[in-house]
Amino acid sequence: MKLYDYILKNYKKDDPFFVSDLNMPGSTKNNIRQALKVLCDKGLAIRYDTGVYYIPHDSLQTETQVKKELHALVKRNPPFSDADVAVKKYICDKGEYFGYYTGFAFANSMYFTTQVPFVREIASNNSGGTKRKVKIGKSKFILKKPRVPITTENHKVLQVLDLLNDYEFYMDYDNDEEFVKRNLLGYIKKMKPQKEMFNNCLQFYPDSIYKTLYRLGVNNVLA
């Protein structure tokens, strides 16, 4: 099977994929990289960033077309953003969660603060085990190791617990705290987290978090 056919079989056009994930039978990583270069030269694939490629929806199919249109094709805006690549690599792929946005990025979405972070923070199983900055395209992200391995079932619980663990740090008291409280409890209620799962994750956080849980009445909305 040719690499182009392999990619089309496993990935959608205009959807980013990572070289590290390509495992074509009978091919080495070096062979795959060389084949990708050929595809890019022909306009059949586009390199978005280091190790990140995609097959454009209007891939060129003939050498004549390549000569006429390759320059314009490479210069066009990609059909996805840096954040889309970050989500696929560090948060969720094919419906399976292994990360989540945390820090000021999530605090802002929950109306705790009006601060919009320039660099978004992600807790991910794919963080490499240490807190570090990564660059994707022109954007930077901070990766951190989660307290508990992240799964599709617990990612929202851990996301909320991260926020509550640093409640005083993220909470902007110029905001209406009662509104923030109602919004947070409404969000947790919609999550429908099982109390057992919530408590299992909670044991990995400092005891000081219990004061915040009691203050906000979180136990009242747990299933």
Side-chain angles (χ1 to χ4, degrees):
M1 181 186 294
K2 293 182 179 180
L3 180 61
Y4 185 72
D5 296 330
Y6 169 83
I7 295 172
L8 289 182
K9 182 178 180 181
N10 291 277
Y11 300 93
K12 297 178 181 178
K13 288 187 176 183
D14 285 345
D15 196 28
F17 62 87
F18 309 106
V19 177
S20 57
D21 291 341
L22 300 181
N23 293 301
M24 191 171 73
S27 295
T28 66
K29 289 296 183 184
N30 188 51
N31 289 340
I32 288 174
R33 291 190 182 93
Q34 290 178 356
L36 271 174
K37 184 179 184 308
V38 173
L39 291 179
C40 289
D41 290 343
K42 290 185 176 182
L44 296 173
I46 292 180
R47 180 182 181 275
Y48 180 78
D49 198 5
T50 303
V52 184
Y53 293 78
Y54 69 98
I55 300 296
H57 190 269
D58 52 347
S59 297
L60 305 178
Q61 298 299 324
T62 68
E63 294 294 334
T64 301
Q65 288 176 307
V66 171
K67 292 178 181 178
K68 291 181 178 179
E69 303 175 31
L70 180 58
H71 182 71
L73 180 62
V74 172
K75 277 186 167 283
R76 74 176 187 177
N77 291 327
F80 48 82
S81 67
D82 297 344
D84 292 331
V85 177
V87 167
K88 186 168 185 178
K89 190 169 186 178
Y90 297 113
I91 295 180
C92 178
D93 188 24
K94 298 177 182 177
E96 293 294 322
Y97 279 85
F98 39 84
Y100 53 82
Y101 277 115
T102 187
F104 278 102
F106 185 58
N108 177 269
S109 71
M110 297 302 295
Y111 305 103
F112 274 51
T113 178
T114 57
Q115 291 189 52
V116 179
F118 178 70
V119 179
R120 283 165 286 183
E121 189 172 342
I122 298 173
S124 175
N125 296 342
N126 298 337
S127 66
T130 58
K131 192 169 184 178
R132 60 193 175 96
K133 281 186 179 181
V134 296
K135 186 177 181 182
I136 297 176
K138 296 182 179 180
S139 302
K140 293 181 180 179
F141 300 85
I142 296 175
L143 298 180
K144 61 176 282 188
K145 180 182 178 181
R147 292 173 181 268
V148 184
I150 300 166
T151 66
T152 300
E153 292 72 30
N154 72 12
H155 75 281
K156 286 189 175 182
V157 170
L158 293 173
Q159 189 179 40
V160 167
L161 288 177
D162 277 6
L163 180 65
L164 296 180
N165 187 54
D166 293 305
Y167 179 84
E168 297 294 338
F169 179 70
Y170 294 121
M171 182 62 191
D172 183 347
Y173 286 97
D174 288 337
N175 295 339
D176 184 341
E177 188 176 10
E178 283 302 313
F179 167 77
V180 172
K181 176 181 175 180
R182 289 195 302 272
N183 184 69
L184 175 66
L185 294 181
Y187 180 81
I188 295 174
K189 191 172 183 178
K190 287 181 180 179
M191 286 165 46
K192 297 181 179 178
Q194 295 298 316
K195 195 167 186 177
E196 181 179 0
M197 176 186 290
F198 199 91
N199 288 334
N200 285 341
C201 294
L202 189 57
Q203 66 181 308
F204 294 95
Y205 288 80
D207 291 342
S208 57
I209 195 175
Y210 288 93
K211 182 179 179 181
T212 301
L213 296 178
Y214 177 78
R215 172 182 175 182
L216 298 177
V218 172
N219 284 333
N220 297 331
V221 297
L222 294 178

